[in-house]
Amino acid sequence: MGWSLAQVQYSHRFGSDIELCEVVVVIDRNAHVTVLRKLPLRRTDIDVPNVTEWTPLDLADTRGTGEVDIILVGDAYEDHWLEVITVQNSSAKTIFSGLGYYL
């Protein structure tokens, strides 16, 4: 594999609003950082947020190749989806994006 996955989130409530900021990155052996998803600092309504938040769900060999892929969950107000990202040579590529699940 040769890399690590990291996520950092910040949130702060202001009455009926919330400030959110996050980043999901891959860090390789040479400390090179590849940003997979980011949400720059933004203030939005706490009940109906106008942002997409990302959360790592799993690391798995999704293609049966022996290589580990990253599975992320995307959450927006009424939209939820899964994305599978492969990382090779400090480069990330989305290989699957499926919209429409609900838990």
Side-chain angles (χ1 to χ4, degrees):
M1 191 161 73
W3 48 262
S4 297
L5 179 65
Q7 176 188 26
V8 177
Q9 294 179 311
Y10 163 81
S11 65
H12 183 77
R13 187 174 179 160
F14 291 94
S16 64
D17 288 342
I18 190 168
E19 277 187 344
L20 299 167
C21 180
E22 74 176 20
V23 65
V24 180
V25 299
V26 169
I27 306 162
D28 70 15
R29 293 178 203 172
N30 299 317
H32 178 264
V33 176
T34 302
V35 176
L36 301 180
R37 298 290 181 270
K38 66 180 176 178
L39 171 60
L41 183 63
R42 183 160 181 189
R43 185 180 275 196
T44 187
D45 184 279
I46 199 163
D47 293 322
V48 185
N50 188 20
V51 298
T52 300
E53 296 180 74
W54 294 96
T55 305
L57 177 65
D58 201 359
L59 301 175
D61 178 5
T62 62
R63 297 165 289 147
T65 61
E67 297 178 22
V68 175
D69 299 316
I70 301 164
I71 303 170
L72 297 178
V73 175
D75 287 309
Y77 173 61
E78 291 184 342
D79 295 324
H80 312 280
W81 60 97
L82 297 175
E83 291 197 352
V84 178
I85 300 169
T86 185
V87 177
Q88 296 176 347
N89 302 325
S90 298
S91 177
K93 179 181 177 185
T94 300
I95 58 174
F96 174 81
S97 183
L99 180 64
Y101 83 92
Y102 185 79
L103 298 176

